[in-house]
Structure formats: C-alpha cells, structure tokens
Amino acid sequence: MSNPFPLHSDEYWMAMAIQQARRGLYTTSPNPRVGCVIVKDNTLIGAGAHLQAGTPHAEVHALQDAGNEAQGATAYVTLEPCSHTGRTPPCAEALVKANVARVVVAMTDPNPLVSGRGIKRLQDAGIAVTQGVLTQSAEALNPGFIKRMTCGRPWVRAKLACSLDGKIALANGVSQWITGPAARQDVQRFRAQSCAVLTGSGTVKADNPSLLVRPEQANFSDYPLTQCRQPLRVVIDTRQQLTPDLAMFNDGQPVLLVVNGQLKHEFSDAVTVIPAKLDAASQKVSLTWLLDELGRQGLNELWLEAGAGLAGAFLDQHLVDELIVYQAPKVLGDKGVSMLTLPDYQQINEAPHLKMTDLRHIAEDIRMTYRVMTPDTHAAAG
C-alpha cells in the first residue's frame, strides 16, 4: 500500500506503523492490534507488530530489530505503550531501557490498567512524547478492543446478503446462494478477524452451517493467514430446537449455546451451555445481557450472521455498530423473505439511521458498509 504522507513526516512513519499493526488483524484478540517502527536519521531501523496474545508486543519486536541503534531514535507506536506487567513485561519500560529519545503515539490506551500511565512513564524518564498522530486510523484498527474497554461489550458487525429488492430468501426459504463466490470469500475475512460469530437456532436448522473460517478460502493475499484462528460460535436456542447431530456441534471447535430451561440433550465437550437471561417483556433472550456476557469473556469483535428476526432485533435495540450488506444483482420477488424483521414504526425518525462508510464492488455483487447511528447521534445530526 502506498504511503500518502510527506516523506519522513510523523504521519509518514505512523502510517508505516499502522501497516505493521494490520499484520495482526486475524490473530491478536483479546489483545489489540499494535504496530511499531523505529526511525533514526530519517531511516527505518526497526519494525514490529503484535501478532498473538502472550507473545512479545510490537515495541519489543521493533527494538529487537533495531538493536543497539535504537539509542537516541524515535519510536512510532499505534497504541500507547503498556505500563503494567501482564503475560509480557511492560513496553514503556523496554523503550526506557533502550534509551530512545522520542516516542510518537497515535492514541491513548483505553485499557484502565494503562490509560496514560505508559506515556507518563516515558515522560518521567526524560523521553519526549508526541501524541495524537493519525489517531482515527489507529482507532480503526481496534474498534472492538476500544468498545470492550470503554463499554464492556464487543463491537457488533451485522452481515446481510440480499437481492436487489431486499430479500434474503425465496418464499420457500431457499437462500443459497444469493451472492457470488467472491462475496462469500469476502465474508471469510470478517469471520477470520472476529472473536465470535453469533446466530440463532433458525439459521442453524435451515442451513446446518459450520460458521467457521473455510481454510480453502482463507489465503488472503494482503495479510495471509499463517494460522487459521477459528471464531467462537454463539448460538441462541432458547426453545432448545437444536440437536447434537448438527455439523457445528461435531467439528471439535468451540460453541457457546444459549438455552432456556433444563437441558434436553447432551452435547460434546466442545459445546458450552449457558442459561439465558430473558427479557421480561418479550420473554426472549436479553441481547444486552448476552453482549455483556461476551464482553466479560474478552471478545472484541462479534460477527452477527443471522436471520431477519434476530438481526432485526439487534438493529432495533441499537446494538449493531456496523451493518455490512452484500447486494446481489438478482430480484427474488415480493413474496420473498425480507432482509430484516422490524417493528411497525409510526414515524420516520423512529427507524434506524445509517451512515454509509464504504461502497465497493465484490465481483458482480456490491458490498455496502454502514455505521449505525445511535438515536442521540442521529438527532444531533438532524
């Protein structure tokens, strides 16, 4: 990827650090994706990325790459260096020991264990610190980590595949395949970078899907997967309609099954069953409770791949952060299944409001990406 910033500017080097961070796009959770480059005399002398929880952080890799040349150099880091000892030693201390002269930080760490302490440690050691360089680009690397640290919940991306007339299936329920193979491969990217995939019992009964990243489609040209980290599958089955013979319960990969009442079936050891907390009014699973629970389990990004009812409930309750719609050049007719089941809104301003952030062709299909505006944000914008 070309670097659009002036040569040797802080933005130029930070853009390079952001590219380093993207190497961990599919592998770092529950940790954030972080990149670091070290520069001396306008020359790159070290680069590194955090690739997996429990392994060295980006700063450590970059310092090892730079060696003794790191003394007096400038380190560019996409996220504030950590100041606490977790599974690895603090990176702020490593930068101090390396005797770098300056550290440029894109954004403050939202983790309350860090949150300014790393920057203070550097400054106390006499290291010059510059903050706020390409902050928005750095934040875009870690929406799930930021949201979990600030709100306790994962970032929710809802995926829909629909026809030109907004249908997700024929009237008889047939839905495979509305979109083409390129769009289906594109979905693998989102699954691969997600900590979990959430669906409902209706989708599992209808399609018997695995909801795993498909290895044959996981060779992404930009950041090839050195290992295929499979997402946790989360399935809501309050009425216990699903049986242990279904594909996702027999592939050895973990499933979190949310049920109501005494368990009717025995599942394999890969399936963890948790009792649902029901919403008092609807007597359906409390989606806010579920997101809180997934946040407690350290999940940063949640991929919602469900039917019209569950997807509509998430959207109506303002629990979707990002909506990704793949639209195929097909027309399924007025008796087809609509893409979302939503309440009968009486006023336009009651309906969910979306802001498009990306639009692109995926072969013959179109992928549209929207940020879902909260009611307060929508009112302010209006």
Side-chain angles (χ1 to χ4, degrees), residues 210-259:
S210 77
L211 296 181
L212 294 173
V213 180
R214 297 172 189 141
E216 69 276 10
Q217 295 186 11
N219 186 23
F220 308 142
S221 59
D222 51 357
Y223 299 97
L225 292 180
T226 55
Q227 57 183 11
C228 188
R229 182 204 64 171
Q230 294 294 355
L232 171 70
R233 279 81 52 85
V234 181
V235 182
I236 298 176
D237 183 23
T238 48
R239 291 184 289 173
Q240 299 197 46
Q241 302 178 78
L242 304 180
T243 52
D245 59 306
L246 290 161
M248 70 165 54
F249 300 135
N250 293 282
D251 55 24
Q253 296 293 333
V255 177
L256 185 66
L257 186 61
V258 183
V259 303

Side-chain angles (χ1 to χ4, degrees), residues 234 256-260 272-276 289-290 293-294 297:
V234 181
L256 185 66
L257 186 61
V258 183
V259 303
N260 185 38
T272 300
V273 180
I274 62 171
W289 161 81
L290 182 56
E293 178 63 30
L294 297 180
Q297 295 194 24

Side-chain angles (χ1 to χ4, degrees), residues 58-114:
E59 298 94 323
V60 173
H61 284 300
L63 288 170
Q64 289 174 344
D65 193 25
N68 292 333
E69 288 297 307
Q71 182 172 348
T74 297
Y76 293 83
V77 191
T78 60
L79 185 69
E80 175 185 3
C82 61
S83 57
H84 67 291
T85 300
R87 295 169 69 178
T88 59
C91 293
E93 201 62 44
L95 291 165
V96 170
K97 288 182 178 179
N99 201 21
V100 300
R102 180 173 174 243
V103 175
V104 182
V105 178
M107 62 172 287
T108 304
D109 194 332
N111 185 343
L113 293 175
V114 184

